[in-house]
Amino acid sequence: MVDRYRLLVVLGAGLGLRQGEALGLSAQDIDFEKEVVHVRRQVKMVRTKLCFALPKGRKVRDVPLPSSVARAVLRHMELFPPVAVTMPWDDPIPPTTLVEAKHRRPRTYDLLVTGRERKAVNRNYFNSYVWKPALAKASVIAPLEESTTDGSRVWEPSREHGFHALRHFYASEELEAGESIVSLAQWLGHTDPGFTLKKYSHFLPRAGARGSELIPTWLAGWIVVP
């Protein structure tokens, strides 16, 4: 991953954020003193246009901030200072009523990760031109096939290797470290811990093997801090 987008991997694997939540995270959402991240919004795509919105299920939450993730955030902010980005809320289409105008009024947040044009990252661009090339370079998927006659980019199907795989990694590692289903469900933003149990129960037999410092230890070995 190139430096500009490298933090997104840390946010997915170290905090369990969904892609839109990682793209919508602002500097004000990080409480370094209390070691917590406030997940309050996502960058959502509606009819090819971007806007801010509540997280999936309209469920905001707090996630513990491992020390290694905090260091990665600080390093990223030194290289790429947060950028104030203004976008409509919930729906980018121009409002037609006063109620819609009030609800969709533009909001501004200092985003941690932005594109080279200092705007919110379009997930389609990121997936095609950043994420999949990184997977190919790491030999996770095959390299890009030659362009088709219409000029489209044809990647090997890789649904199981999407950005969401980082969230699955986070959940499985927390369970293996002995974390409770109730806490994990809260950190992932699941309304029902039963859903979390059903989705990740196959990791429970190995629970309790490595302790609560597993995620920081893993990330400390992966993140290079100058």
Side-chain angles (χ1 to χ4, degrees):
M1 295 290 288
V2 296
D3 278 345
R4 175 174 291 277
Y5 301 108
R6 187 177 177 87
L7 182 65
L8 294 174
V9 178
V10 179
L11 299 178
L15 299 177
L17 301 191
R18 300 178 178 93
Q19 185 178 43
E21 295 167 349
L23 296 175
L25 198 66
S26 78
Q28 289 74 25
D29 297 326
I30 312 292
D31 191 327
F32 293 100
E33 182 177 350
K34 294 183 179 179
E35 299 181 334
V36 66
V37 174
H38 306 295
V39 185
R40 297 292 181 258
R41 78 196 67 80
Q42 64 171 316
V43 170
K44 185 172 71 169
M45 179 175 289
V46 180
R47 296 180 290 276
T48 73
K49 296 184 179 297
L50 301 183
C51 63
F52 291 120
L54 288 172
K56 184 178 180 180
R58 310 184 72 82
K59 188 174 178 61
V60 299
R61 65 190 188 278
D62 292 340
V63 180
L65 175 65
S67 59
S68 51
V69 175
R71 290 195 298 271
V73 171
L74 291 172
R75 176 178 180 270
H76 178 86
M77 291 172 66
E78 290 179 359
L79 295 174
F80 307 99
V83 176
V85 175
T86 302
M87 294 193 299
W89 183 263
D90 206 42
D91 195 326
I93 301 303
T96 58
T97 67
L98 291 177
V99 174
E100 288 181 350
K102 182 178 180 180
H103 177 70
R104 300 179 189 174
R105 69 184 185 279
R107 306 186 190 189
T108 302
Y109 300 100
D110 296 333
L111 297 187
L112 287 174
V113 181
T114 55
R116 289 175 295 181
E117 297 179 349
R118 297 172 60 84
K119 298 179 180 179
V121 178
N122 182 305
R123 70 178 184 222
N124 288 341
Y125 170 85
F126 175 81
N127 292 336
S128 294
Y129 292 92
V130 180
W131 181 255
K132 289 189 176 181
L135 291 180
K137 189 173 182 179
S139 299
V140 177
I141 63 174
L144 182 68
E145 296 180 10
E146 293 185 5
S147 297
T148 58
T149 54
D150 62 359
S152 61
R153 297 164 62 88
V154 182
W155 288 99
E156 172 190 336
S158 55
R159 182 177 178 83
E160 70 275 19
H161 300 308
F163 189 90
H164 211 71
L166 300 174
R167 181 171 162 89
H168 294 324
F169 168 83
Y170 171 83
S172 64
E173 293 298 288
E174 288 291 347
L175 286 177
E176 187 175 347
E179 193 52 71
S180 73
I181 285 289
V182 173
S183 294
L184 181 61
Q186 180 180 352
W187 298 341
L188 291 174
H190 293 165
T191 302
D192 180 13
F195 173 81
T196 311
L197 177 61
K198 181 178 179 181
K199 192 173 186 66
Y200 296 107
S201 60
H202 54 293
F203 291 106
L204 288 175
R206 297 184 294 158
R210 290 190 253 173
S212 60
E213 289 298 314
L214 186 146
I215 291 293
T217 300
W218 177 82
L219 286 173
W222 184 78
I223 299 167
V224 177
V225 179

